[in-house]
Amino acid sequence: MKAEGHPDYHTITVKMTDGTEFQTRSTWGSEGDTLTLEIDPTSHPAWTGGKQQLQEGGRVAAFNKRFGGISLKK
């Protein structure tokens, strides 16, 4: 196995948005660097259940709004 074909894993510190830190091994940065996160599971709406930025109703609602009054019944 070639030695130069594999990434260099080293220990870095990850700083979460709430200020907590933990150490992990990564190929990012250099030994001892700190990775400061802007979004993490403690602040992102996908994990916290906060306000979602979805369209109101979606495609089916848009169709029903446009064609809802049309009926095939006589």
Side-chain angles (χ1 to χ4, degrees), residues 17-30:
T17 57
D18 62 359
T20 59
E21 297 180 352
F22 65 93
Q23 290 189 337
T24 186
R25 290 175 38 90
S26 175
T27 59
W28 178 86
S30 302

Side-chain angles (χ1 to χ4, degrees), residues 8-70:
D8 176 38
Y9 284 97
H10 44 270
T11 303
I12 65 166
T13 302
V14 179
K15 185 175 182 181
M16 307 287 271
T17 57
D18 62 359
T20 59
E21 297 180 352
F22 65 93
Q23 290 189 337
T24 186
R25 290 175 38 90
S26 175
T27 59
W28 178 86
S30 302
E31 179 76 30
D33 282 352
T34 299
L35 174 64
T36 304
L37 300 178
E38 296 176 5
I39 297 176
D40 63 15
T42 61
S43 66
H44 195 277
W47 287 285
T48 61
K51 180 180 176 186
Q52 296 184 7
Q53 298 177 349
L54 297 176
Q55 293 178 355
E56 292 293 325
R59 301 296 298 161
V60 174
F63 178 85
N64 288 334
K65 180 179 177 183
R66 186 172 178 187
F67 300 108
I70 298 175

